[in-house]
Amino acid sequence: MTTTTRPTTATGAPQLEPAPNNTLATWFNDGWITTRRNLIKIKRVPDILVFTTLQPIMFVLLFSQVYAGSIDIPGSNYTEFIMAGIFAQTVVFGSTYSGSAMAQDLKEGIIDRFRTLPMSPSAVLIGRTNGDLFINALSFVVMIATGLLVGWRVRSSILEAVAGVALLLLFAYAFSWVMAFLGMSVRSPEVINNVSFLILFPLTFISNAFVPSENLPTPLRVFAEWNPVSALVLAARQLFGNVPEGYQPGDSWPLQNPVLTVLIGVVVLLVVFVPLSIRKFRTISSR
Amino acid sequence: MAFIEATDLVKTYNPKGAPVVRALDGLSLEVPRGTVLGLLGPNGAGKTTTAKVLTTLITPDSGSAAIDGIDVLREPDRIRRMIGASGQYAAVDENLTGFENLDMIGRLYHLGGRQSRARARELIDLFDLSEAGNRPVKGFSGGMRRRIDLAGALVINPPVLFLDEPTTGLDPRSRLGLWDIITSLVDGGTTVLLTTQYLEEADRLADDIVVIDEGKVIARGTADELKSQVGGQRVEISLVSGDDRDRAVEILDRVGTTSTDVTADGRTLSTTVADGPAALQQVLADVRALGIQLHDAGMQRPTLDDVFLTITGRTASHDDKEEAAA
């Protein structure tokens, strides 16, 4: 005889009653639980950790040691010039994990599992983008340490430098939402990886990240001057105090107002892709 | 009113450059409280789509569905608080341990940390998962993953369980193990919708069976009712030597109500008969009289494979092979 009115269940015990899913507290809970899942993954999958820490070291060393002697930046040295470029490139690439991870979770049916649970529909995406943020923050620590070793110096104030790091991480975070949306739309982890490399390599290299854009052939120069990555790099360069003396960033509006451009970009990306991604999440399922 | 009710579900997919697929084409079913419904059909019949509609994963183009009177389409969040679902692919996070997977699910049901941990430990004991409890799921066998996945569906001890092809791809031993677990759940009174392409599985676990094909229900009833639709019993004999084939066919033709089926190697023969025991005795006597040697002889009630063949004109398993080859 059971004393409850609920139907008898699996193990003969009464059903455990889930709390209603409508409070800010459950939203925070769900976001934290999914974030923790992604942090555990970073800890358990050595590839991610190795790639996240070794790749930035490699880039800093390659650019500062291999090209520094051959590329002359008037009014500065190449190591100081490229650090902002490497920061930007690394965090933008760091955002792509969200794309392949969402596609992978979809393929493996884990998204199906989450969607049958009474959890907040934004939680999986929040956890995922937080995972990218953590990876990028980790990369940043490694890059800063390596940069300082090879002679990079912050020539502004600590406060401005912190603002520079925050701006780069913020932009990358917003970009993670774009990638998460693409990952759910493209559905194939392999395709999303290849596509993001095909898009991000030109975007980061046809910019002012590694060489001043003024020396580029006209079509590429125009592209570089309107490229959001250029604005991001220039904004970071300004905040770290690494803009060479007499440097002509370019006449385009984004390069005249780089910090503002990045902030506007972040807001636009979040306003568009957060709702779009959540809406997408609410209807997707494995095939 | 039945505990789970689905009425006239229609779901179409419109893939680029391909004809429209009617995954569900007016499908209706009901599952009375505390019973197991086996949803049986070949790959692509619409089993998983049905399960996905009822577990709030996809929205049908039209039709309605309710569990315990709660509208699945209008109040998905209430439905999610009372169901447990276990998918066709073991939907567990490979990088988490068995314990972490179950604990995470409990916390996402908002059971709170303490209750989630306690429940995870309980399920690990119940499902004999102590080995997988503290190591990442990656590297465990398919059977172990399915058990973790199934345990995940039971975290809140839900009154309704959806099991979508729970044993597909498992070796026979793991399958038997999982069947035992499911049987014990069912004995506890849980209402279950089970999809499967294994006729034996539906026969063994389900109270009622709904056979679907191309998004439509093509037959329903208990396993026994479906079998009797096909007609009487069958007598089957296996010959030691294929040389005896023609003489054996003659013997079976004399007792059979249909023509005798012969397998490709010509050594296993069967036919449908009206009175099984009498026909079998007759066949054995005739075989002995002619000195034909047998490996095996027996009487069978029709299998669900025969049911499928009778209703659709093709076998369920044959269809699978085509799909696998495509």
Side-chain angles (χ1 to χ4, degrees), chain A residues 21-42:
Chain A
N21 167 37
N22 50 12
T23 62
L24 200 60
T26 58
W27 184 77
F28 271 109
N29 172 72
D30 297 354
W32 162 239
I33 298 302
T34 50
T35 301
R36 197 175 62 169
R37 165 186 179 235
N38 288 304
L39 296 184
I40 293 174
K41 181 178 177 184
I42 295 170

Side-chain angles (χ1 to χ4, degrees), chain A residues 26-97:
Chain A
T26 58
W27 184 77
F28 271 109
N29 172 72
D30 297 354
W32 162 239
I33 298 302
T34 50
T35 301
R36 197 175 62 169
R37 165 186 179 235
N38 288 304
L39 296 184
I40 293 174
K41 181 178 177 184
I42 295 170
K43 192 174 76 180
R44 300 241 169 95
V45 184
D47 305 14
I48 301 177
L49 210 56
V50 167
F51 192 75
T52 310
T53 51
L54 287 189
Q55 197 224 22
I57 294 178
M58 192 184 74
F59 268 112
V60 172
L61 292 180
L62 279 180
F63 277 97
S64 67
Q65 305 307 306
V66 179
Y67 296 129
S70 327
I71 300 178
D72 188 36
I73 304 291
S76 178
N77 69 62
Y78 190 60
T79 300
E80 289 212 352
F81 182 78
I82 46 114
M83 280 308 289
I86 293 173
F87 288 146
Q89 193 208 27
T90 302
V91 296
V92 167
F93 272 92
S95 310
T96 60
Y97 282 114

Side-chain angles (χ1 to χ4, degrees), chain A residues 101-125:
Chain A
M102 288 307 288
Q104 190 72 31
D105 281 354
L106 188 57
K107 190 170 148 189
E108 287 174 359
I110 294 174
I111 301 265
D112 281 354
R113 157 77 76 206
F114 284 134
R115 285 201 51 231
T116 62
L117 299 176
M119 61 192 283
S120 158
S122 57
V124 172
L125 291 157

Side-chain angles (χ1 to χ4, degrees), chain B residues 13-73:
Chain B
Y13 289 104
N14 211 342
K16 258 180 229 143
V20 174
V21 182
R22 288 181 85 81
L24 296 180
D25 194 3
L27 184 136
S28 300
L29 58 81
E30 39 190 66
V31 191
R33 191 182 289 261
T35 68
V36 180
L37 180 75
L39 197 56
L40 178 67
N43 274 337
K47 303 183 298 289
T48 297
T49 311
T50 307
K52 282 186 173 179
V53 168
L54 290 168
T55 52
T56 75
L57 289 178
I58 58 176
T59 312
D61 301 341
S62 65
S64 63
I67 300 174
D68 201 13
I70 298 165
D71 192 317
V72 175
L73 306 177

